[in-house]
Amino acid sequence: MDLENPAAAQTSEEQAGQRLWTAVDRYISERLLPPDPALDAALEASAAAGLPAIAVSPNQGKLLHLLARIHGAHSILELGTLGGFSTIWLARALPPGGRLLTLEVNSKYAEVARANIVRAGLAELVELRTGPALEALPRLAREGLGPFDLIFIDADKQNIPEYFEWALKLSRRGSLIVTDNVVRAGALADPACADPRAEGARRFHELLAAEPRVSATTIQTVGLKGYDGFTLALVGEPS
Ligand code: DHB
Ligand code: MG
C-alpha cells in the first residue's frame, strides 16, 4: 500500500504483493498467536468506535512484547496509545511491579483504550495520559518520571525527531527506543516526497546519524499493514 496516499490506485503487481504479505501474516498469526479474547475485543471495540485501523499488526504486537521481555523492561513509555492494542501487548511483558505510561492526544481514542486496558486486566499497571505528547513529555521530565527501560514511539509521524529527543532525555544507558512507521512504503529514501510524515522519518534518520549516544538500525517490514518499517535504538552504546 502507498502509505503516503492510501487512495492511490495500486498496480496489479502491488495488489498481488499485498495479498501475499497479508496471507503470510495470517499464516504466522494463526500458528504463533493463540486465540486472545482481550486483544480481539480491543480491536473490535476500536473499530466499533470508528478509530482508524492503524494499530500495529498482531505479529508486530507480539514482537513488541518479546522485545520488552528480552530486554527485561520494568518501565515502559508509549507515545500514541490509539485503542490500546500495542499497550496491551507491551504491558503483558512487564514483571510484577512493572509500569507502563502511555500518551494519547485524542480523548475519544483514550476513552476506548481505557476500556480495552481494563478489559485486559491491566489497569493497575497502565497509566494513560491524554493530551499532546510534546506537552506531556516535559511534564514527565519535571515530575522526575523515568528513566524508562523501553520507549515505543508510535504517535504522529511529523514529530518523530522531537519525540525521539524527549525519549533520549527520559532514557538511561541501556534503554531501548522503538520507533514505528519510519519506512513509509519507501518514501524514507525518496527526498522528492514532501509528505511531512516522510520528512519526519528522514529528519529522524539524520538525527540518528549525528547522535553519538545511540546505536540504531531500521528494519523494513511487509505484512497486512503494507510496506513500512521500524527503528531500534539502544541508548548509551555508540555505534
Ligand atoms: C499510521 C499510523 C501508524 O502508527 C501506523 O502504524 C500506520 C499508519 C497513520 O497515521 O496513517
Ligand atoms: Mg504505528
Side-chain angles (χ1 to χ4, degrees):
M1 183 179 64
D2 177 1
L3 284 179
E4 305 319 312
N5 183 5
Q10 287 183 317
T11 64
S12 59
E13 247 172 74
E14 284 170 340
Q15 285 172 1
Q18 183 58 61
R19 271 198 300 276
L20 182 61
W21 303 339
T22 301
V24 173
D25 234 346
R26 191 170 308 123
Y27 175 95
I28 296 166
S29 58
E30 283 173 0
R31 282 157 187 79
L32 304 186
L33 305 186
D36 195 313
L39 286 170
D40 291 346
L43 289 182
E44 278 162 30
S46 298
L51 272 56
I54 55 173
V56 297
S57 70
N59 291 319
Q60 290 169 339
K62 179 77 174 280
L63 173 64
L64 291 172
H65 173 87
L66 289 173
L67 285 172
R69 281 175 53 194
I70 291 164
H71 196 49
H74 281 66
S75 59
I76 298 176
L77 173 64
E78 177 181 61
L79 313 190
T81 318
L82 191 66
F85 186 73
S86 52
T87 319
I88 293 170
W89 272 115
L90 284 166
R92 284 178 175 174
L94 288 167
R99 300 283 302 157
L100 185 151
L101 177 58
T102 183
L103 308 178
E104 173 54 50
V105 67
N106 183 307
S107 51
K108 180 181 140 186
Y109 297 179
E111 198 181 311
V112 175
R114 265 201 190 91
N116 288 337
I117 290 161
V118 168
R119 196 187 296 107
L122 295 164
E124 298 294 306
L125 282 67
V126 175
E127 180 185 350
L128 196 171
R129 294 190 182 188
T130 308
L134 287 178
E135 292 174 18
L137 289 162
R139 208 172 302 133
L140 297 189
R142 280 198 302 274
E143 286 175 35
L145 291 178
F148 294 90
D149 301 327
L150 188 156
I151 301 176
F152 179 46
I153 301 175
D154 194 21
D156 56 297
K157 311 309 170 190
Q158 53 268 45
N159 285 319
I160 286 176
E162 288 68 33
Y163 295 146
F164 187 81
E165 297 274 23
W166 276 107
L168 272 181
K169 290 191 179 91
L170 294 162
S171 289
R172 56 165 173 81
R173 185 178 177 85
S175 292
L176 176 66
I177 304 174
V178 184
T179 306
D180 197 20
N181 310 117
V182 295
V183 173
R184 313 209 60 83
L188 175 63
D190 176 9
C193 175
D195 185 297
R197 296 165 298 180
E199 287 176 344
R202 289 199 297 271
R203 282 199 298 126
F204 173 49
H205 280 79
E206 297 305 324
L207 190 162
L208 286 173
E211 177 51 73
R213 286 171 295 175
V214 302
S215 181
T217 191
T218 294
I219 293 299
Q220 304 181 70
T221 56
V222 294
L224 60 84
K225 291 188 67 187
Y227 168 33
D228 210 329
F230 61 89
T231 302
L232 293 185
L234 186 60
V235 179
E237 305 287 337
S239 47

